[in-house]
Amino acid sequence: MSVSPRNMAVSDVLYGQADSPAHAGFADAGGRFDQDILAMQFGVTQRDIAETAGLSASATYRKSRMASASAQARLMEMSEILRRVTDWAGGGRQAFAWYRAEPIPAFGNRTAESIVKGGQATALRDYLDHIALGGFA
């Protein structure tokens, strides 16, 4: 039985819920989100991953910062949204471009990146679920 990423505690992210949908393909063997894997999956740099997740540039070369609970929570939120839109967007690079640049009218023309950084990842996930089920934007 897998755990819903929406209900997952940060400690679960850090210590072993690597079978969750948010982790699929983005986590290292220890279940931690790995910026190298994320960068490779989306065709961007590690610095792009850190910046987009709202982390400092120093997080790209300090493994201890990327392993912190707050960094892992940010990476989880970002990767969950990206995973949801990758197929719709046509691939990883397109999903990343959408995440950073496409305005979403239902959120006052803010981008997914801005919405997640503003602490509204749950609202964005709910909106994407609504769209996936055939709802109108």
Side-chain angles (χ1 to χ4, degrees):
M1 179 169 129
S2 81
V3 176
S4 167
R6 209 176 272 174
N7 300 325
M8 197 179 322
V10 171
S11 61
D12 293 336
V13 172
L14 293 172
Y15 304 112
Q17 291 299 329
D19 64 335
S20 76
H23 276 78
F26 300 135
D28 64 14
R32 292 180 181 88
F33 284 94
D34 187 317
Q35 67 181 359
D36 298 332
I37 295 170
L38 286 165
M40 190 171 51
Q41 290 279 337
F42 296 108
V44 297
T45 66
Q46 294 174 2
R47 188 179 191 104
D48 289 335
I49 294 294
E51 181 182 302
T52 303
L55 304 171
S56 68
S58 66
T60 61
Y61 56 85
R62 292 185 130 182
K63 293 289 184 185
S64 62
R65 289 197 182 177
M66 288 306 268
S68 73
S70 61
Q72 288 292 300
R74 287 177 181 229
L75 291 170
M76 180 182 74
E77 289 177 339
M78 181 183 77
S79 63
E80 182 181 351
I81 301 299
L82 286 167
R83 169 144 326 268
R84 288 176 188 229
V85 301
T86 296
D87 288 340
W88 296 347
R93 286 184 183 190
Q94 294 89 341
F96 198 81
W98 172 87
Y99 185 86
R100 294 201 77 184
E102 187 66 31
I104 302 172
F107 289 91
N109 288 325
R110 292 171 50 209
T111 63
E113 177 182 13
S114 171
I115 295 164
V116 172
K117 283 181 178 178
Q120 294 180 300
T122 301
L124 181 56
R125 284 191 299 263
D126 291 344
Y127 171 78
L128 293 173
D129 287 345
H130 173 73
I131 300 298
L133 294 173
F136 292 102

